Amino acid sequence: MKINKIYQQRLNEIGNEKYFINAHTHIFNANDTPNHLVKRFVIWPFYYLLNTQWAISILKKHRKRQAKKFRYRAKNKIWQKYRSSKSPIFELAKRVFLIVVNIIFFFYALYIIQPIFTFWPIKGWLNGLYENEISQYLLFFPKRFYYISIILFIFLFFKKIKNWFFSLIWKSIKKRLGNDWVEFMLRYRNILLFAGYGNMKGIFNKLKNQYPPGTKFVALPMDMEFMAAGPVKRPYRIQMAQLLKIKKSNSQDIYPFLFAHPKRMIEVHNGKPYFKGNLNGSGKYILGTSEVKDYFENGCTGVKIYPAMGYYPFDETLLPLWLYCAQNNIPITTHCSVGPIFYRGNLKDLEKGKKKTFKRGIDRHPVFDEIIGKNLKGKNKIEPFRLPLHKNRVFQRNFTHPLNYVCLLNETFLKRVLDFHNDSNLNKLFGYDPENNEKKLDRNLSNLKINLAHYGGSENWDEFLAKDRFDEANAIINKPTIGLDLLNRMDNLTILYSLWHYVDWFSIISSMMLSFDNVYTDISYTVHDLKYLNLLSEIMDNKKIGKRILFGTDFYVVSNHKSEKQYWIDMQNTLGHEKWNRLAHTNPKRFLNF
C-alpha cells in the first residue's frame, strides 16, 4: 500500500543520532485565526473592536516603523543625536532645565503640604515664600490643579513609582477579571506577535533557530472555522498546503499532522470528500479518494483534534478515522486541558446543529449516566449524566475531559457509544450486534495511539499537589501500578461521578497511561514554571508512565512565559541526561513510529 511505503521511507529518513523531538508546536498565522477570537472574553459589541485582522495590520505597521531604525539614515540620525547630547552646550542646557523643573516641583509640593508645618521658624518662612507678589502670580490656578501637576510629575520622572503604579493596575485587573481572562489576553498577544508574520515558513524558522541542529518538530495545524468566532481569512486547505510545502523543503525537520473536525469530515470540496473509506474483505479499513488520504501520502504523520471547539472525541464522523488510525498505528494528538480556544457561539446552537449527537441534550453526557436518588422501591434512579450549562469557557471542560477517551479505548464503553449513535453503518464497521451486547466486537479501538496533550494543564497539577486529604489524589503515589484503577471502577456510577467532577486530570491521565498501552501525554505549555519540573521528574520515575510522556512546548503560545530556548534548557538541566533523553527522544520517537 502506498501509505505504508511512505511510512517506511519516513523511517529510513531517521538516523540513530539522539536528536530532540518537540512533539507539540504551532506555526499557523493570523490568517488562520477567527476575526473575533476575543468573543466571550470581551463583551458585545466591544469584541468587534478587537478584530484579529485589524490588530495584525496595526502590528505590521509598527514593525515597519521599527525596521526603519535599522536603515543607514536612521542609524546616522541616532548617532548624530548621541553626539549632540554630549556637547557642553547641551549638557549645560540639560542641567539648567532639570534645576528649573525641580524648583517648580518643590515650590508646588511645599504649597500643598504647607498646612502640616505649624511650628516656627519653618511656618514663618513658608508664609513669607507664598505671600509675596511673585508667588501669588504663580499660584493663579485652583489648588486641585497643583495636586494633578504633582502626580503627573512623579509619574513621569520617578520610574519606580511609575512601575509600582502599573503593577497595582495589573493586579487590580487580574483580581477583577480573573486569571482566565488575563491568561487568554497574554496568549492572544502571542498569537498577534507570531501569527502576524506573513508566512508559516518564517514562524517555523524562528522556532527551529532556537534548537540544536537536527531537532525535529511536530507541527499541529488549527482549523478554527467552526468555532463561531467570526470568519477565518484563509481557508484551512491553504494552511495545510503551506504546511506540506514546508515539509517538502524540510523533510527531516518537520512532521505535520492533519486536523479532524466533525464538520470538516463530512465536507466535499470540488467533488472530493474530505474523508472517505470502507472495510475490505479482511476487515481492514481502507481510505478512499479523499483529502485525508492525500494529506497522509504527502507527508502528514498523524491527526490533531481540538474537542473544546464544541464536539466529543467519539463523534460519529470521527469513529471511522479512529479505526483507520488504530489499524495503522497512526498517532493522534488531542487538546486535553482547559484553555482560551473554545467554542464561542451559543451552546444550544450545537444541539440544533447536530440533534443526533446531542439527542440527550447538550446539558447531558452522550454516554455516561449518574444516580440521582432512590425510587419508591428503594432502587437507584438513573439518568443521563448532567452537565449544567455554565459559560462556554467552563463548559469546554466537558468536551475535553480525559475520561471521554475511555469511551474509545475500552470496548465496554465503545459499545455504549455505538448504542448512543444507533447507526447501522457504524455497527457494521466495528462488527457490533446491538441484540447480542455480550459478544466481543470484531474490531475495537483499544490500540488507538493517542496523546492527551498538556497533561491536563498546570491548574490540574496545582490541584494534584494541593490535595492532601483526598484519597483519589494520592492514588498515583500509593498505587503506582494501577493508579485510579479506571477499568475496574468506572462501571460504578458513584465513582464515575466523583472521577468526573472531583479528581484532578493529572491523576486521571496518569492512570489512563497505566491502563492503556498506547496512551501518551505531552507537557506542552503546562511545565513552563520550574516548580512543576520536580513533579515531572517524580512521575517519570514510574516505569510505565515514564515511557509515555513527550516533550512539547506549544510554541508559540508558551512564549508569554519564557522563550522557546529557555523552556528546553531549563527542562534538560533540571531533569538530567537520562530522563531528558527519554522525554525528548525515546518516547516521542516511539509515539511517531520513527
Side-chain angles (χ1 to χ4, degrees):
M1 186 181 178
K2 188 175 180 182
I3 292 179
N4 289 334
K5 288 180 180 178
I6 291 168
Y7 276 114
Q8 188 58 48
Q9 180 183 346
R10 212 164 285 147
L11 293 176
N12 295 334
E13 291 175 355
I14 311 300
N16 295 320
E17 185 183 352
K18 292 190 176 180
Y19 42 81
F20 298 171
I21 302 174
N22 187 334
H24 195 128
T25 71
H26 301 286
I27 59 172
F28 64 89
N29 68 19
N31 294 329
D32 309 307
T33 307
N35 277 349
H36 310 311
L37 195 59
V38 296
K39 187 178 178 182
R40 301 283 173 182
F41 283 94
V42 177
I43 62 172
W44 180 91
F46 297 105
Y47 61 76
Y48 286 104
L49 300 176
L50 285 172
N51 183 296
T52 304
Q53 296 302 323
W54 294 353
I56 290 294
S57 64
I58 292 169
L59 183 64
K60 284 182 176 178
K61 288 177 182 177
H62 172 71
R63 279 188 177 144
K64 284 181 180 178
R65 286 197 299 269
Q66 293 295 105
K68 287 180 181 178
K69 292 181 180 179
F70 296 94
R71 295 177 180 174
Y72 292 125
R73 182 183 295 177
K75 289 192 289 185
N76 292 337
K77 190 175 180 180
I78 291 169
W79 176 250
Q80 290 299 328
K81 187 176 179 181
Y82 164 76
R83 291 290 300 272
S84 300
S85 70
K86 293 299 178 182
S87 71
I89 296 173
F90 183 85
E91 285 288 331
L92 178 62
K94 183 180 175 182
R95 287 180 180 276
V96 170
F97 173 76
L98 290 174
I99 290 169
V100 171
V101 167
N102 277 280
I103 289 172
I104 293 171
F105 168 72
F106 284 108
F107 177 82
Y108 289 119
L110 285 172
Y111 177 68
I112 290 171
I113 64 174
Q114 181 186 2
I116 69 172
F117 296 104
T118 58
F119 50 89
W120 293 86
I122 295 179
K123 183 179 179 181
W125 181 79
L126 289 175
N127 287 339
L129 174 63
Y130 292 109
E131 289 175 2
N132 67 64
E133 190 175 335
I134 297 174
S135 295
Q136 289 299 310
Y137 178 78
L138 293 173
L139 296 172
F140 175 80
F141 295 103
K143 199 168 186 178
R144 62 178 174 272
F145 172 83
Y146 306 119
Y147 284 108
I148 296 170
S149 301
I150 293 296
I151 291 169
L152 284 174
F153 180 88
I154 292 172
F155 187 76
L156 292 172
F157 289 92
F158 292 87
K159 190 175 179 180
K160 286 186 178 180
I161 294 176
K162 181 169 66 175
N163 291 342
W164 171 83
F165 179 75
F166 280 128
S167 174
L168 194 66
I169 290 176
W170 184 241
K171 286 179 182 178
S172 177
I173 290 172
K174 289 174 74 173
K175 188 175 180 179
R176 193 171 183 82
L177 298 176
N179 286 328
D180 286 348
W181 188 90
V182 173
E183 187 68 20
F184 168 77
M185 294 310 293
L186 288 172
R187 295 193 193 189
Y188 181 69
R189 181 200 64 178
N190 270 6
I191 289 173
L192 296 181
L193 287 173
F194 278 92
Y197 289 100
N199 59 71
M200 294 164 68
K201 186 176 180 181
I203 300 174
F204 177 63
N205 287 335
K206 289 190 177 298
L207 166 66
K208 184 179 175 181
N209 291 340
Q210 296 187 65
Y211 284 86
T215 302
K216 305 180 189 308
F217 305 92
V218 172
L220 303 171
M222 287 294 281
D223 186 357
M224 294 187 266
E225 184 178 330
F226 306 108
M227 63 181 286
V232 176
K233 185 176 180 180
R234 180 171 69 176
Y236 160 74
R237 292 173 179 85
I238 305 298
Q239 179 190 165
M240 288 302 300
Q242 278 205 13
L243 197 51
L244 292 175
K245 186 177 179 182
I246 297 169
K247 169 65 179 175
K248 194 172 182 180
S249 58
N250 298 268
S251 63
Q252 296 189 37
D253 297 329
I254 187 169
Y255 295 85
F257 280 31
L258 61 90
F259 201 95
H261 189 289
K263 290 186 177 180
R264 185 74 67 193
M265 295 292 285
I266 59 175
E267 270 193 349
V268 177
H269 181 69
N270 292 336
K272 180 181 283 190
Y274 186 73
F275 176 79
K276 184 181 179 182
N278 61 277
L279 285 175
N280 66 12
S282 59
K284 189 88 171 174
Y285 194 84
I286 306 298
L287 290 182
T289 300
S290 62
E291 292 180 76
V292 167
K293 183 179 181 182
D294 292 346
Y295 289 147
F296 279 130
E297 290 181 348
N298 286 290
C300 282
T301 303
V303 179
K304 170 71 187 292
I305 60 171
Y306 210 106
M309 291 185 190
Y311 58 93
Y312 288 99
F314 45 78
D315 189 278
E316 69 268 26
T317 63
L318 297 174
L319 291 176
L321 176 60
W322 297 157
L323 181 60
Y324 176 77
C325 290
Q327 291 182 339
N328 291 278
N329 201 29
I330 293 173
I332 302 158
T333 289
T334 176
H335 177 81
C336 196
S337 70
V338 174
I341 304 297
F342 54 83
Y343 181 72
R344 294 298 202 270
N346 189 321
L347 289 169
K348 285 288 184 179
D349 290 343
L350 290 174
E351 189 177 321
K352 294 174 187 174
K354 298 197 75 173
K355 290 183 179 180
K356 186 177 179 182
T357 302
F358 298 107
K359 62 186 177 185
R360 282 181 158 193
I362 187 70
D363 55 357
R364 302 283 183 149
H365 194 277
V367 178
F368 297 145
D369 296 319
E370 67 172 285
I371 300 169
I372 63 164
K374 302 281 186 180
N375 61 21
L376 294 175
K377 294 181 179 180
K379 293 184 178 181
N380 291 332
K381 289 175 67 177
I382 297 174
E383 284 191 3
F385 206 98
R386 294 180 286 194
L387 306 171
L389 285 181
H390 297 293
K391 291 181 179 180
N392 294 46
R393 57 183 169 184
V394 177
F395 192 85
Q396 64 166 309
R397 184 179 185 273
N398 300 312
F399 291 126
T400 198
H401 201 293
L403 289 179
N404 286 324
Y405 299 92
V406 177
C407 297
L408 297 172
L409 297 161
N410 177 262
E411 185 166 310
T412 300
F413 284 98
L414 180 57
K415 288 178 181 178
R416 296 182 192 178
V417 169
L418 294 172
D419 285 335
F420 171 76
H421 290 311
N422 191 26
D423 185 295
S424 59
N425 290 326
L426 287 177
N427 291 341
K428 183 180 178 182
L429 192 67
F430 291 94
Y432 176 54
D433 181 5
E435 303 298 323
N436 185 9
N437 188 274
E438 299 300 319
K439 179 179 175 290
K440 285 182 67 68
L441 297 177
D442 294 340
R443 291 162 291 279
N444 63 33
L445 301 175
S446 59
N447 289 326
L448 198 65
K449 182 182 281 187
I450 191 159
N451 164 28
L452 303 177
H454 312 297
Y455 213 151
S458 56
E459 65 277 8
N460 277 282
W461 288 46
D462 288 331
E463 189 179 344
F464 169 79
L465 291 170
K467 287 184 175 178
D468 54 356
R469 295 185 299 275
F470 190 44
D471 289 341
E472 307 284 23
N474 297 321
I476 292 297
I477 297 172
N478 295 328
K479 303 169 186 175
T481 58
I482 60 172
L484 294 167
D485 195 15
L486 297 174
L487 295 181
N488 293 318
R489 300 175 72 222
M490 279 186 63
D491 272 333
N492 184 311
L493 297 186
T494 303
I495 292 175
L496 175 60
Y497 185 89
S498 176
L499 289 170
W500 183 277
H501 287 289
Y502 304 120
V503 179
D504 62 275
W505 291 8
F506 177 87
S507 295
I508 292 174
I509 293 172
S510 297
S511 298
M512 288 180 68
M513 287 188 281
L514 294 172
S515 299
F516 303 103
D517 291 337
N518 266 343
V519 171
Y520 290 74
T521 189
D522 70 46
I523 41 82
S524 58
Y525 194 83
T526 299
V527 194
H528 60 262
D529 196 313
L530 284 170
K531 70 178 181 178
Y532 300 122
L533 288 177
N534 290 325
L535 177 54
L536 175 61
S537 179
E538 183 68 25
I539 199 66
M540 286 193 73
D541 287 332
N542 184 298
K543 290 182 180 179
K544 204 166 184 179
I545 295 174
K547 294 178 180 179
R548 309 276 188 75
I549 306 175
L550 312 172
F551 170 66
T553 58
D554 208 14
F555 176 87
Y556 39 82
V557 177
V558 77
S559 58
N560 65 309
H561 290 285
K562 58 172 68 172
S563 70
E564 193 75 4
K565 57 191 173 189
Q566 185 184 353
Y567 195 99
W568 70 261
I569 289 171
D570 283 347
M571 200 173 297
Q572 182 187 46
N573 286 280
T574 303
L575 293 178
H577 176 74
E578 191 275 329
K579 288 179 181 176
W580 170 254
N581 184 56
R582 262 192 290 145
L583 182 77
H585 176 78
T586 308
N587 295 352
K589 187 177 176 183
R590 188 189 314 111
F591 176 70
L592 296 167
N593 304 314
F594 286 176

